[in-house]
Amino acid sequence: MRILVVEDFSPLRSSIARGLREAGFAVDEVADGTQGLAFAETGAYDAIVLDVMLPGMDGFTILERLREQRCPSRVLILTARDAVRDRVAALDHGADDYLVKPFAFAELLARVRALLRRRYEQTSPCVRIGDLEIDTVARSVRRGGRVIELTAREYGILEVLAARPGTVVTREEIEERVYDFASEHSSNVVDVYVGYLRRKLENGGAARVIHTRRGMGYVLAEHEEES
């Protein structure tokens, strides 16, 4: 999943971005509101961590613009303002959540995960596809009760597919959600990693759960015919 952090205080921005990357997210970070809006308008982000007091454009204006454009990204407001009227204003402007500085990173991470579940209408942090279990909190995967060890990139691609089970996800969408702007990768990287995933998920003769829709993309489902 891909996160945008818009925060002008460099040490805090870097700390948040580093923690989110260590948690397995692809992260882009910007320091001013104008650039933050330009990044957010691409629609590439599952969630946005957004400060209010920013140079160039304040966070509430960014929120208004994004909601006018029906941007689906979930937005977590991060600010030192802790008055009730500030919380009400943020929510009325279209924020999905509100966290007051200073904060514990563990809480921010939990709130981001909750926003992502809401973004993809998941009621549980554990996604089950047949005998495949994906725990999005522990970032662990089991197949038929057997633990499957995945690299961060393999897990990231699986998580993107698991967010929309039974639905075709294009290669471009997967790439957009797994790689930030700083990442360098080849044009066929998604196909390569799907191949790695299949070998691990199908080890021991298990049935295929990542299916190809030729010319379209991939779908995660218990039963699906290859086309």
Side-chain angles (χ1 to χ4, degrees):
M1 299 296 184
R2 192 168 174 184
I3 312 294
L4 175 64
V5 179
V6 189
E7 165 64 56
D8 64 329
F9 184 49
S10 180
L12 179 59
R13 184 181 66 253
S14 297
S15 176
I16 293 171
R18 182 173 60 254
L20 289 171
R21 290 188 183 108
E22 289 174 353
F25 296 105
V27 182
D28 292 313
E29 49 181 300
V30 296
D32 70 86
T34 303
Q35 188 180 25
L37 177 63
F39 273 56
E41 285 178 327
T42 66
Y45 302 98
D46 297 290
I48 301 170
V49 177
L50 179 64
D51 191 14
V52 174
M53 300 301 293
L54 293 164
M57 182 181 296
D58 67 86
F60 286 168
T61 302
I62 293 173
L63 263 177
E64 287 180 337
R65 298 279 184 87
L66 293 178
R67 294 322 182 206
E68 286 172 0
Q69 298 169 24
R70 300 186 182 278
C71 175
S73 303
R74 297 303 191 214
V75 177
L76 169 63
I77 288 290
L78 193 63
T79 178
R81 297 180 177 182
D82 61 355
V84 171
R85 64 178 179 274
D86 295 317
R87 297 172 188 268
V88 170
L91 295 171
D92 283 347
H93 277 80
D96 297 283
D97 201 356
Y98 192 102
L99 185 60
V100 176
K101 303 172 185 176
F103 59 90
F105 180 77
E107 181 179 1
L108 182 145
L109 182 58
R111 288 176 180 269
V112 166
R113 287 195 298 253
L115 290 181
L116 295 177
R117 289 196 296 273
R118 288 161 57 186
R119 165 82 168 83
Y120 292 102
E121 299 180 350
Q122 295 173 337
T123 58
S124 169
C126 187
V127 179
R128 292 181 173 83
I129 308 293
D131 63 350
L132 176 66
E133 298 181 12
I134 305 164
D135 187 329
T136 60
V137 174
R139 296 179 65 80
S140 63
V141 178
R142 292 176 179 269
R143 185 85 195 266
R146 175 176 59 89
V147 175
I148 299 176
E149 299 291 341
L150 300 179
T151 66
R153 193 66 71 202
E154 290 165 353
Y155 177 84
I157 291 175
L158 182 61
E159 186 177 44
V160 170
L161 293 171
R164 295 160 58 186
T167 302
V168 176
V169 185
T170 67
R171 291 170 177 82
E172 293 74 20
E173 288 176 291
I174 295 171
E175 189 173 333
E176 187 176 71
R177 288 293 186 268
V178 174
Y179 292 93
D180 55 40
F181 285 125
S183 299
E184 295 183 3
H185 51 276
S186 60
S187 59
N188 68 334
V189 66
V190 171
D191 298 319
V192 170
Y193 274 98
V194 167
Y196 296 157
L197 268 172
R198 280 174 167 163
R199 282 195 287 274
K200 291 183 178 182
L201 295 177
E202 297 170 16
N203 186 37
R208 177 153 293 186
V209 288
I210 299 178
H211 308 276
T212 301
R213 288 288 184 85
R214 299 196 185 283
M216 300 172 65
Y218 296 102
V219 57
L220 183 67
E222 185 176 6
H223 303 293
E224 181 77 12
E225 292 293 329
E226 292 275 351
S227 59

